[in-house]
């Protein structure tokens, strides 16, 4: 397996109105992530993101400037870039209205500022790869706000029966947005064991990734 030190770092634009916080985040991110630009308000953020067109933007939701829409406004004004640039909200707020507003605008995830530096770097890499990432328990706000697609159906017992009790426990936590490390801590198992269970869950349910797993679990009211 390739070590983080030898992987190509993910270019990131960091948007927050507090200089000291940006400095701290930039210093804390590991070799998987490289900050290529910074901004402190809505208008500056829109300009810097369009200039650099990074794979990921780390975005505070409460920002001065613009029309007063904060981070959600930044995402909306960068809608022309969403095919190649993904926004990951990074905020002290865990209020449902903040989470839902920025996700409705097009952000791919939302983590709170108490996240560890290692987990933040991992979240950036996951978002760059196409995953949606949420701090634990925040995913429920999004699921409640957006509901499920009409084609999704209520829980089928035979689907759950394919999973062992432990696989069901892992499935629920992963679907809620927990990281592998958090699942391992909650269930008192190793990260490697979590990875094994997740692979088994996806195979048994014929799903491709954790995004599809979250959608599957939400449709069946398993969260």
């Amino acid at each position: 397996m390739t070590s983080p030190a030898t992987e190509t770092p993910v270019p990131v634009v960091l948007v927050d109105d507090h200089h000291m916080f940006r400095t701290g985040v930039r210093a804390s991110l590991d070799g998987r992530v490289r900050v290529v630009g910074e901004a402190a308000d809505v208008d500056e953020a829109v300009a810097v993101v369009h200039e650099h067109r990074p794979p990921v933007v780390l975005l505070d939701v409460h920002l001065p400037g613009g029309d007063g829409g904060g981070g959600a406004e930044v995402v909306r004004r960068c809608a022309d870039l969403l095919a190649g640039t993904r926004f990951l909200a990074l905020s002290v707020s865990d209020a449902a209205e903040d989470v839902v507003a920025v996700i409705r605008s097009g952000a791919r995830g939302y983590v709170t500022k108490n996240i560890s530096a290692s987990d933040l770097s991992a979240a950036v890499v996951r978002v760059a790869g196409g995953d949606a990432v949420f701090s634990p328990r925040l995913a429920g706000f999004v699921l409640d706000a957006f509901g499920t697609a009409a084609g999704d159906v209520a829980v089928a017992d035979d689907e759950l029966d394919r999973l062992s009790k432990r696989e069901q426990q892992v499935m629920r936590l992963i679907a809620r947005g927990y990281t592998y490390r958090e699942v391992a801590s909650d269930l008192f198992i190793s990260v490697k064991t979590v990875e094994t269970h997740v692979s088994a869950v996806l195979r048994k349910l014929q799903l491709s990734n954790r995004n599809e797993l979250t959608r599957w679990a939400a449709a069946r009211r398993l969260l």
Side-chain angles (χ1 to χ4, degrees):
M1 181 181 295
T2 304
S3 65
T6 62
E7 293 175 353
T8 301
V10 176
V12 166
V13 164
L14 176 59
V15 181
D16 192 283
D17 60 333
H18 294 98
H19 174 73
M20 289 300 293
F21 178 76
R22 297 199 310 273
T23 300
V25 171
R26 189 172 62 248
S28 299
L29 292 167
D30 61 30
R32 292 172 288 179
V33 180
R34 177 170 60 93
V35 176
V36 296
E38 298 183 19
D41 60 40
V42 170
D43 295 321
E44 184 181 14
V46 172
V48 172
V49 172
H50 275 89
E51 175 187 356
H52 291 281
R53 298 173 180 260
V56 178
V57 178
L58 275 174
L59 178 71
D60 192 8
V61 299
H62 295 147
L63 293 169
D67 295 325
E73 180 182 343
V74 174
V75 181
R76 288 194 298 271
R77 289 172 58 182
C78 294
D80 56 313
L81 303 179
L82 291 182
T85 295
R86 297 179 174 93
F87 288 80
L88 174 60
L90 174 63
S91 177
V92 69
S93 170
D94 61 0
E97 58 268 25
D98 288 333
V99 178
V100 172
V102 75
I103 298 301
R104 281 193 189 280
S105 297
R108 291 288 297 172
Y110 194 115
V111 295
T112 52
K113 288 182 177 179
N114 60 1
I115 190 173
S116 71
S118 176
D119 286 344
L120 179 58
S121 296
V124 169
V125 172
R126 284 175 53 198
V127 168
D131 279 350
V133 178
F134 296 92
S135 288
R137 291 167 289 280
L138 297 189
F141 297 152
V142 179
L143 296 171
D144 288 344
F146 290 93
T148 56
D152 288 329
V153 296
V155 63
D157 291 338
D158 62 332
E159 291 180 307
L160 273 182
D161 287 344
R162 300 174 195 170
L163 308 181
S164 69
K165 181 177 179 181
R166 178 64 88 188
E167 287 169 349
Q168 290 184 33
Q169 292 173 326
V170 170
M171 174 271 293
R172 284 184 169 88
L173 293 176
I174 290 293
R176 290 171 184 166
Y178 283 59
T179 65
Y180 285 8
R181 182 179 303 172
E182 289 165 338
V183 174
S185 176
D186 274 18
L187 299 181
F188 302 101
I189 56 179
S190 70
V191 172
K192 184 65 176 177
T193 300
V194 174
E195 293 174 349
T196 300
H197 285 316
V198 171
S199 295
V201 168
L202 294 178
R203 183 182 70 254
K204 291 179 179 180
L205 298 179
Q206 300 181 17
L207 301 173
S208 300
N209 53 51
R210 61 189 299 159
N211 291 340
E212 292 184 4
L213 179 61
T214 297
R215 181 182 174 83
W216 180 92
R220 290 151 181 83
R221 307 294 192 267
L222 296 176
L223 299 178

